[in-house]
Amino acid sequence: MVATVAATQTIQGIDDGSGNLALVVPDTGGGGEGTADYPLEIIQPRTGLSTSNRFYKQYPGIEYNVRMGVLGGLYPLTYSLIAAPSGVSINSATGEIVWVNPTALGSPHTITARVTDAEGTTQDITWPLSVTTSGFKFVDSASGNDGNAGTLAAPWATLDKIGDAAASDFIYFRAGTYSSTSHDNWDGTTEPVVWLGYPSEAVNFDLASGGRFIFNASNRLYIDGINVDSNSNSQQRAFSYPGGESNITFRRNSFSGLVGTSGNNPAYLFSTNDSTRGHYTVIQDNEVTGGEGDFYLGYANSHVLLESNVVAGMTNSIAFSPKDGNGLHFIRDNDISLTGKCIYVQEYNSQGHGKGPIVIEYNNLESTGGDQEALNVLGWEQYEQIIFQRNTAQGRFYIRPTSPSNGPFHFNKNVIINDNDTGNTDRIRTGPEGDQGTLFYDDNLVGGTTDNIVDANGDLQGTYRTTYLGTHGHEVN
């Protein structure tokens, strides 16, 4: 039997660690109804940065391709260009900005982009784009030579060589396979931290011999368009960076081959615990095709966007694990199917940064691990509110502890498929403390696999599609 459950909801003002924020629990009805749960905010690009930032510089004749990172607002969002050079376009649904053939004529150019949410609220961002041959190095494993100058015409050949580039240089990798490097520590104050796969070319990092990438002083770290195969090496990381660093982006990469031991926090992307808290991390459009461990495991971050990633085929794994000292996170529009936990939120407050909130919305989640969860929340210190809305979730839920000092936790207009925990409200299991008045349920569509609510892709089917499409679950319309 399928049921929906409604409840009255209230919310308190909360502090995300960087200032007081008043959040309102949304009425997440479809078709533009409802209220944004957090103010619309563009976190990438940001104003006032230099040409050492990815958004601000491009080589002439090579495609410029970036995507805006936006928190808050009432989803879905719409993007537009207010001012840009001729030939620049923007995807109105995703905020991806493309200039196929950028020209130095008239450089620096000015770009102004706008995001509009479903309530009609807008935010604009303006930044300069310098189109220049200065500040770029090229690497080509097939035809390059480390004795070359590292130019487009005379590229280097190896990962090791790029340590000779200036900190402000962008590195373009041409098609080919790049073996793991003994140079696994990168200092963003003296070495380049913007690494780009050349457009439309397959760039592969093979870390079979034990390679990993540890970035220190990595403000403005930007990794885009690279296929990373950890190849079952023993390092238990692909990329590691301090949680206290800001303006971090991983976009359009693919990951595979990670192995590790659970207690060692194995992860493709790992932000380490830090006495300071970093801001403005965007992880978008990546694909994970197997491995074990976490895709993203993060400490000491706030204003983090995890968006439009596809995670599949992982075992004994967690897709997203905001672990400790974290502030505002938006986990939005991801597609996750794995054996393990889809999202695991933990908080111990080891650095005293303050906690939360976390907004999880419009995700398609499937945990195939029997006793594993689509969402698991462990907060031994007070974790300020978690909003779980408009998701399709196949798997168990476990929220603990649910004491009066923890939460509140809001579950709004989700599709929940769970063959277990039928004795709990909306089949959401809570800790031994019980519900303590911190869990709120609002009109979730709940059932088991035999109710045939969703198809093999997690999309609504049959009469459920007719009745609930655009109002419940991850599908916008």
Side-chain angles (χ1 to χ4, degrees), residues 229-245:
D229 186 356
S230 293
N231 217 328
S232 301
N233 72 35
S234 61
Q235 296 295 333
Q236 304 189 91
R237 305 275 192 280
F239 294 91
S240 177
Y241 56 94
E245 300 294 287

Side-chain angles (χ1 to χ4, degrees), residues 146-203:
D146 283 351
N148 287 344
T151 63
L152 178 60
W156 293 331
T158 69
L159 274 165
D160 283 326
K161 184 61 178 176
I162 67 175
D164 291 347
S168 59
D169 285 346
F170 294 3
I171 307 298
Y172 267 110
F173 293 91
R174 303 303 303 264
T177 297
Y178 298 84
S179 298
S180 55
T181 171
S182 58
H183 186 164
D184 60 0
N185 282 277
W186 299 84
D187 186 341
T189 62
T190 59
E191 297 173 306
V193 293
V194 178
W195 298 3
L196 309 171
Y198 198 91
S200 302
E201 295 189 2
V203 176

Side-chain angles (χ1 to χ4, degrees), residues 132-336:
T132 175
T133 58
S134 176
F136 290 88
K137 295 295 183 182
F138 293 82
V139 189
D140 190 329
S141 64
S143 63
N145 188 301
D146 283 351
N148 287 344
T151 63
L152 178 60
W156 293 331
T158 69
L159 274 165
D160 283 326
K161 184 61 178 176
I162 67 175
D164 291 347
S168 59
D169 285 346
F170 294 3
I171 307 298
Y172 267 110
F173 293 91
R174 303 303 303 264
T177 297
Y178 298 84
S179 298
S180 55
T181 171
S182 58
H183 186 164
D184 60 0
N185 282 277
W186 299 84
D187 186 341
T189 62
T190 59
E191 297 173 306
V193 293
V194 178
W195 298 3
L196 309 171
Y198 198 91
S200 302
E201 295 189 2
V203 176
N204 305 303
F205 283 8
D206 183 354
L207 308 184
S209 60
R212 59 179 174 175
F213 304 99
I214 303 172
F215 290 90
N216 303 301
S218 56
N219 285 309
R220 67 185 177 78
L221 174 64
Y222 196 106
I223 309 294
D224 182 8
I226 297 173
N227 307 316
V228 181
D229 186 356
S230 293
N231 217 328
S232 301
N233 72 35
S234 61
Q235 296 295 333
Q236 304 189 91
R237 305 275 192 280
F239 294 91
S240 177
Y241 56 94
E245 300 294 287
S246 296
N247 297 314
I248 309 292
T249 298
F250 289 89
R251 179 171 177 252
R252 300 190 304 176
N253 306 290
S254 69
F255 299 90
S256 61
L258 182 74
V259 296
T261 304
S262 177
N264 294 333
N265 288 336
Y268 288 113
L269 305 180
F270 181 73
S271 71
T272 60
N273 210 350
D274 207 314
S275 59
T276 60
R277 176 185 273 172
H279 292 76
Y280 316 126
T281 292
V282 174
I283 298 175
Q284 286 175 324
D285 303 317
N286 300 285
E287 182 177 9
V288 180
T289 56
E292 57 185 32
D294 297 359
F295 170 40
Y296 164 79
L297 195 162
Y299 290 84
N301 279 259
S302 187
H303 294 69
V304 175
L305 176 65
L306 305 169
E307 182 178 42
S308 305
N309 301 285
V310 176
V311 181
M314 298 185 75
T315 57
N316 303 315
S317 299
I318 304 168
F320 301 134
S321 183
K323 191 162 187 180
D324 191 30
N326 288 299
L328 179 66
H329 278 55
F330 264 76
I331 303 175
R332 174 188 278 166
D333 186 36
N334 299 282
D335 196 322
I336 301 170

Side-chain angles (χ1 to χ4, degrees), residues 49-70:
L49 303 180
S50 71
T51 54
S52 63
N53 180 277
R54 170 64 187 115
F55 282 85
Y56 283 56
K57 184 172 64 179
Q58 183 58 42
Y59 197 93
I62 299 177
E63 181 183 271
Y64 177 69
N65 189 309
V66 295
R67 182 179 176 185
M68 296 174 66
V70 178

Side-chain angles (χ1 to χ4, degrees), residues 388-471:
F388 190 88
Q389 63 189 11
R390 287 296 304 271
N391 302 285
T392 300
Q394 301 180 67
R396 304 187 76 175
F397 288 71
Y398 194 15
I399 313 300
R400 65 202 195 280
T402 52
S403 64
S405 63
N406 213 339
F409 308 98
H410 296 264
F411 297 88
N412 312 317
K413 291 183 167 55
N414 302 287
V415 175
I416 297 174
I417 312 298
N418 180 5
D419 290 327
N420 301 287
D421 310 311
T422 56
N424 296 86
T425 304
D426 282 10
R427 305 193 185 189
I428 297 172
R429 181 171 48 139
T430 62
E433 305 82 5
D435 184 335
Q436 304 290 324
T438 61
L439 277 81
F440 300 88
Y441 313 91
D442 181 15
D443 193 20
N444 298 295
L445 176 60
V446 181
T449 53
T450 58
D451 292 305
N452 296 314
I453 298 172
V454 299
D455 62 19
N457 297 317
D459 296 335
L460 290 165
Q461 62 180 347
T463 57
Y464 299 108
R465 189 167 190 83
T466 303
T467 306
Y468 296 107
L469 179 64
T471 64

